[in-house]
Amino acid sequence: KQWYQRRVRGITDDDFPRSKAFAFLNDIMQRFQRQYGGSAATALPYAMDSDFTKVLQNQVRYYVENPESSSVTKVQSEIDDLKQIMVKNIENFCTGHYRMTP
């Protein structure tokens, strides 16, 4: 599990679905990576707060107020998980760590 998946229990209350919280965190992670890419690794602490705060506010509002966000983001999360598994399997196959059986 990702670090944020282990921590989500402490940031939501019992009325907010865990799957929706995971979808929110995954969405934020993807948006952050798209916006900043590798530059985040060398940035000063809080250097991106002013730019990314608006994104966080908008996404929090969307996930709290939009009932459809659960189903759409759940499907997207499942697709992302499947994609990661497929990439790993292809890499293992190409490096010889995995063999297909007839």
Side-chain angles (χ1 to χ4, degrees), residues 20-36:
K20 204 170 185 179
F22 288 133
F24 167 76
L25 291 171
N26 190 43
D27 183 27
I28 293 300
M29 179 184 68
Q30 289 176 359
R31 287 172 184 272
F32 188 86
Q33 288 174 340
R34 274 194 308 263
Q35 187 166 341
Y36 298 110

Side-chain angles (χ1 to χ4, degrees), residues 4-101:
Y4 60 85
Q5 291 175 328
R6 292 189 302 263
R7 292 289 200 178
V8 76
R9 187 107 173 115
I11 63 170
T12 63
D13 57 24
D14 291 337
D15 295 334
F16 196 81
R18 288 184 66 200
S19 62
K20 204 170 185 179
F22 288 133
F24 167 76
L25 291 171
N26 190 43
D27 183 27
I28 293 300
M29 179 184 68
Q30 289 176 359
R31 287 172 184 272
F32 188 86
Q33 288 174 340
R34 274 194 308 263
Q35 187 166 341
Y36 298 110
S39 65
T42 58
L44 295 173
Y46 307 106
M48 297 158 178
D49 279 3
S50 61
D51 293 338
F52 206 69
T53 297
K54 189 69 173 168
V55 173
L56 283 171
Q57 290 171 344
N58 289 337
Q59 292 312 107
V60 166
R61 188 176 310 112
Y62 173 78
Y63 278 87
V64 169
E65 295 175 359
N66 190 350
E68 298 92 44
S69 65
S70 287
S71 59
V72 171
T73 53
K74 182 179 179 183
V75 170
Q76 181 62 45
S77 179
E78 290 172 358
I79 290 171
D80 290 342
D81 290 344
L82 180 59
K83 180 182 167 187
Q84 289 176 354
I85 291 168
M86 290 174 65
V87 167
K88 185 175 180 180
N89 286 341
I90 291 169
E91 288 173 350
N92 287 339
F93 181 76
C94 289
T95 58
H97 293 111
Y98 178 78
R99 292 200 166 88
M100 295 177 65
T101 56

